[in-house]
Amino acid sequence: MVVILKENPDKQQLNKLVKWLESLHLKTHLSEGAQQSILGVIGDTSVVDIELIQALDIVEDVKRIQEPYKNANRKFHPADTVIDLGTCKIGGGNFALIAGPCSIESEEQILGVARAVKAAGARVLRGGAFKPRTSPYAFQGLRDEGIKLLLEAKKATGLPVVTEIMDLSQLPLFDEVDIIQVGARNMQNFELLKALGRVRKPILLKRALAGTLQELLMSAEYIMAEGNEQIILCERGIRTFETYTRNTLDLSAVPALKTLSHLPVIVDPSHATGISRLVPPMALAATAAGADGLIIEVHNDPAHARCDGPQSLTPEAFADLSKRINHILEVR
Amino acid sequence: MVVILKENPDKQQLNKLVKWLESLHLKTHLSEGAQQSILGVIGDTSVVDIELIQALDIVEDVKRIQEPYKNANRKFHPADTVIDLGTCKIGGGNFALIAGPCSIESEEQILGVARAVKAAGARVLRGGAFKPRTSPYAFQGLRDEGIKLLLEAKKATGLPVVTEIMDLSQLPLFDEVDIIQVGARNMQNFELLKALGRVRKPILLKRALAGTLQELLMSAEYIMAEGNEQIILCERGIRTFETYTRNTLDLSAVPALKTLSHLPVIVDPSHATGISRLVPPMALAATAAGADGLIIEVHNDPAHARCDGPQSLTPEAFADLSKRINHILEVR
Amino acid sequence: MVVILKENPDKQQLNKLVKWLESLHLKTHLSEGAQQSILGVIGDTSVVDIELIQALDIVEDVKRIQEPYKNANRKFHPADTVIDLGTCKIGGGNFALIAGPCSIESEEQILGVARAVKAAGARVLRGGAFKPRTSPYAFQGLRDEGIKLLLEAKKATGLPVVTEIMDLSQLPLFDEVDIIQVGARNMQNFELLKALGRVRKPILLKRALAGTLQELLMSAEYIMAEGNEQIILCERGIRTFETYTRNTLDLSAVPALKTLSHLPVIVDPSHATGISRLVPPMALAATAAGADGLIIEVHNDPAHARCDGPQSLTPEAFADLSKRINHILEVR
Amino acid sequence: MVVILKENPDKQQLNKLVKWLESLHLKTHLSEGAQQSILGVIGDTSVVDIELIQALDIVEDVKRIQEPYKNANRKFHPADTVIDLGTCKIGGGNFALIAGPCSIESEEQILGVARAVKAAGARVLRGGAFKPRTSPYAFQGLRDEGIKLLLEAKKATGLPVVTEIMDLSQLPLFDEVDIIQVGARNMQNFELLKALGRVRKPILLKRALAGTLQELLMSAEYIMAEGNEQIILCERGIRTFETYTRNTLDLSAVPALKTLSHLPVIVDPSHATGISRLVPPMALAATAAGADGLIIEVHNDPAHARCDGPQSLTPEAFADLSKRINHILEVR
């Protein structure tokens, strides 16, 4: 951490600051210049609340040098985290295809899609029961009933399942769910993150529309600080000025996150683009960029899907894409 | 709503679409051109799930013409909504200054600040008990104890109070709180919004970092659809590429929201800029732009505040600002 | 400047770096920690090319502490720059209203608008001759002929005039123009900026759609480094995810730029919002925020303007706004 | 085009609008509803200035349905444009690797890099002579001398060369240059675009930091409208809120642009990320996404490059990457 001091800082206040930092087991070095002095702070600064220092009269600015996260940091945990679902693994060289409908609509639909995506190579089944929708008048998901149908599809196909939680009061319904998804809108729902830190199952944490990579890792840190270290990070597009696509898929997040952290990183090209014909090229690109998996929307009848139809692939298109992804995996 | 059709649309599918729209009591008009045909849809389209149409094979694009919100829409409710707190009103020409510390730290602190801001002209006291912090290692607020201290300050000064809820499980603690704040990170926590729609007290709804004006109004609509029509909208800065300020205060949101909706609109210049010296000019600007109120962070000792010190005003600076705001109010 | 070193940096390379920095008359201080060492660099670092250091093997990151601009920096030039146009001044407490049509269309139009805005209190006449348009099929301005008409309006009314240059080949036409405008799209047209640095007249420099405050000041520095210190900075809205307004007016740029620099700062609420009914509230807000002037589009017949009609005020609306601006000026 | 009318539009004005549209050989259809009426406009609307309509009193909003570009539009020109450089082709299934240093620094450097990248599989040599730099104090390129050295490298290796133009006054120097690059900052330098439309050589047009896909295509249209149809579009990262990477590479632009237009699309992973270790994964991802080529910065001694060292690859790293790109090309 580097503290940039105002011109002619009050000596007494500076002394006080130095003593406080040293009481936190940090080392400080003062570099004095004619117009500007800086105080270098060395040690574990992740516990320091940067705003406390920023607010001091003698301080012009504070810049972090170390990342403010620890459990999620590759520097302190060099080996890749591997999520083991029994039937498949994610991370540490293991790639997993996750697929299924945006929302669960009926037994017939979820079972049909589950069988189709399994046959095409998917290793995990996705399906939304609780649906975050911008409008209160849009279909909100089958909720409890949806979870039940998803678990039936799990039984029928043997595929582990992932579905989204929207509020911590729903947690009891997720007992047999294999991976709990935290959606982009809840990336900074800190009470939910803390509760999921006390759960013992993998969490699929999606990046918020305006979430920086550092904030995504800090949200992972919230979960990990409570004891749950099984987290899968998911890039799903960020909000920018471009309106042609629903969001802008930030694929550089894949190698960046894998450098900064040991957690597996997957990509959701369906929500990122919002346009089914852009899903295959972005899925292939994400694979080439080094993603540990993909989560893709597949619907048996996209034109009549109750949500996100425009971005869903048919089972046939998914099967074709799955083959092309395998070709990339062989050469990447 | 305008449905742009692909070249040579299948007649049968087009017929099916037209019949379905008419079954929703909408009128349709087909304009056929050599290369492009469009289907105009007239009536109350707020209930139509636009994605259902977008996913159809014969459809190239769909454009909404009407706003997808109804209860929050000024077109259907021309008169300003006025929030009446007994001791003061917000909206419909009534301006209210809301002030207080970012977080409640002690009885002495909250009481001291409450008295100071009241003396300077504040009509509502703010203070955070549950604090959303990016880092799990930063101060998380006094929580239940904070609410208790805030209610003591309410008793002591007679000021109505506003404080943030972070999860719906906390709702029972808000019984004597006058206004419940939904923070920017929870603007699309739809389960929380629905629950607050069943509460009978004003909700202060902050715009998300990446929330469009329309999404903010749709979130208000979630609350209103459940029966609670007392909502105060709050512009508090959006996330852009500019990093000099913490966020970018979008003041054009004030007249824009007041055109689109009848709900009162206030501005938070403290979180928007993150820099105390920018708070007064932005508070004055917001007032001149027509805001119905301001929410400003004031701390008796910003240099030792446990959070957001850099953006807090001293009580003296706030008293001075309050006078200047009044001057603007007289001429605006 | 602070250089963050990689773990166990090569001593020889570090020595070489230190010697090179000292050869530039900079002082260095090394703070060594167990895991991280940092090199503080004190002195005039604006001449250091930060990328040269960033590329070194031993360097993890470099953070600037000092601003990289000098001539535009208030630290080295505390007094406000005042632009003196003879008939009026801008900056240092002097506020100027600049108004006129987006584009010059005919002698009758420019003369009519010029007389109307002068009567309403405008001190400078604006009017576009060279028009940057997104589409090659849109009206491109009257060009040379437009400049001629603008100068006739100057003669007829005595108002100084400002108009935009789009390429340095057009410079000879600007001899009698009082202020040369550099549009948002040319903020980083560095060849043009250098040429304008050798001109001896005020330059109105608009912020780019994706230009940071620092980049705007660096562009001013390009002009100033060549000897022309008469620059007026202009905030005109930045591009964000919000699409309700054409751009997002960043009013915090006004007090921020005035802190960082001594140059006058004006605001263009017409281009920022793109909606005429949002122009008056944003003009009043900009005035309250401390702007040194405003540049506003006024057209005698907005419904038939050849460009930017939707954001133009009528002369009557402008006259009314001018009075309200004066009321704010009296109390700000 | 769809014109949304205000409630109870004046019949006479509406008639006038309809007649004017019909005089432009467009067909109109009026759909009247109780609260809202819309006017559908069918035909070639690319020549209509949308703002003229938007400004009318009776109009609430106007929405384009057709793209406002024609020459660049795949709808009117279904076959891929292929750029033929004699020794290699770009587009229509032909992939080209473009590589070289950010800036030309010396004869030895440009020749060395040219030979190395040719050996590794590059088909075009890049090198900057005129360098757009944010700071006037940073290295501005060797300018005329740089072009001379680049042409020597062309002679020595037989590689066609691409280099950036910053102002149209530099055009005479580009006689023997094979591809003229328009940088991101000049994407909307319309005078330059028009001049390049009268040149008979390929133009490499980079997307602006805040340029939408549509604006990029409109800028291509500026060049094509003057007669030059040899344009290569280049995605090089856009500006977003994320600061970990220099820009955010928008790879979905590749399939999107190739759907909208027949022009070849290449990707610049070096400027997009600004970090050399992110260049290979993003280069592979761009290839998998369907790009027609890549432009990559390679420097023989990145640690001593005079500009953009942190994002340059060594010749060895480039040779390795080139092989991996070929593997992706074989399976994509």
Side-chain angles (χ1 to χ4, degrees), chain A residues 53-110:
Chain A
I53 301 175
Q54 238 157 359
L56 297 177
D57 273 349
I58 55 168
V59 171
E60 186 163 313
D61 202 0
V62 186
K63 287 178 195 285
R64 266 195 194 283
I65 283 163
Q66 263 188 341
E67 297 84 6
Y69 46 88
K70 232 175 151 170
N71 292 302
N73 198 330
R74 195 182 276 278
K75 277 190 193 149
F76 304 112
H77 185 317
D80 282 348
T81 284
V82 178
I83 304 295
D84 192 344
L85 296 166
T87 54
C88 78
K89 293 178 180 173
I90 304 175
N94 304 285
F95 181 93
L97 212 43
I98 305 173
C102 179
S103 58
I104 300 155
E105 296 169 20
S106 70
E107 190 179 343
E108 193 196 344
Q109 174 242 21
I110 186 69

Side-chain angles (χ1 to χ4, degrees), chain D residues 7-231:
Chain D
E7 242 182 289
N8 303 318
D10 180 89
K11 291 281 166 204
Q12 212 178 332
Q13 282 195 47
L14 181 55
N15 257 333
K16 218 170 125 187
L17 171 61
V18 166
K19 280 207 180 122
W20 178 65
L21 288 167
E22 290 176 348
S23 77
L24 297 169
H25 308 292
L26 300 166
K27 271 176 69 185
T28 64
H29 293 251
L30 184 66
S31 310
E32 283 177 286
Q35 290 196 310
Q36 196 130 43
S37 297
I38 55 182
L39 187 71
V41 184
I42 304 282
D44 176 11
T45 57
S46 67
V47 294
V48 180
D49 198 339
I50 202 169
E51 292 180 342
L52 289 184
I53 300 174
Q54 238 157 0
L56 296 176
D57 273 348
I58 55 168
V59 172
E60 186 164 312
D61 203 0
V62 186
K63 289 179 196 282
R64 265 194 194 283
I65 282 163
Q66 263 189 341
E67 297 84 7
Y69 45 90
K70 233 176 152 170
N71 293 302
N73 199 330
R74 194 181 278 276
K75 278 190 193 149
F76 304 112
H77 184 318
D80 284 346
T81 284
V82 178
I83 304 295
D84 192 342
L85 296 166
T87 54
C88 78
K89 292 177 180 175
I90 303 175
N94 304 284
F95 182 93
L97 211 44
I98 306 173
C102 179
S103 59
I104 300 156
E105 296 169 20
S106 69
E107 190 180 343
E108 193 196 343
Q109 175 243 20
I110 187 69
L111 265 174
V113 176
R115 286 188 180 119
V117 299
K118 187 182 180 186
R123 311 299 298 268
V124 182
L125 175 67
R126 62 149 289 155
F130 297 98
K131 298 300 308 169
R133 304 299 303 275
T134 305
S135 165
Y137 310 123
F139 174 57
Q140 309 274 315
L142 292 184
R143 304 177 68 91
D144 310 33
E145 178 62 18
I147 302 267
K148 222 188 294 175
L149 295 177
L150 184 67
L151 294 176
E152 280 178 34
K154 173 184 173 175
K155 238 171 280 172
T157 59
L159 287 175
V161 295
V162 56
T163 192
E164 180 169 352
I165 192 167
M166 282 178 64
D167 186 81
L168 59 84
S169 62
Q170 297 157 354
L171 199 48
L173 295 166
F174 284 69
D175 260 5
E176 291 171 65
V177 166
D178 300 277
I179 306 176
I180 304 179
Q181 177 179 316
V182 176
R185 290 171 185 82
N186 275 318
M187 186 193 90
Q188 293 193 319
N189 184 335
F190 300 119
E191 299 297 310
L192 179 61
L193 298 179
K194 284 182 204 168
L196 294 177
R198 293 183 291 267
V199 164
R200 287 297 161 267
K201 50 176 95 213
I203 307 299
L204 172 51
L205 180 64
K206 290 195 155 186
R207 183 180 183 185
L209 270 76
T212 62
L213 297 184
Q214 182 168 303
E215 286 170 345
L216 173 59
L217 290 168
M218 290 305 282
S219 287
E221 191 81 7
Y222 257 97
I223 300 171
M224 296 174 95
E226 298 287 328
N228 184 357
E229 306 215 321
Q230 298 183 74
I231 298 170

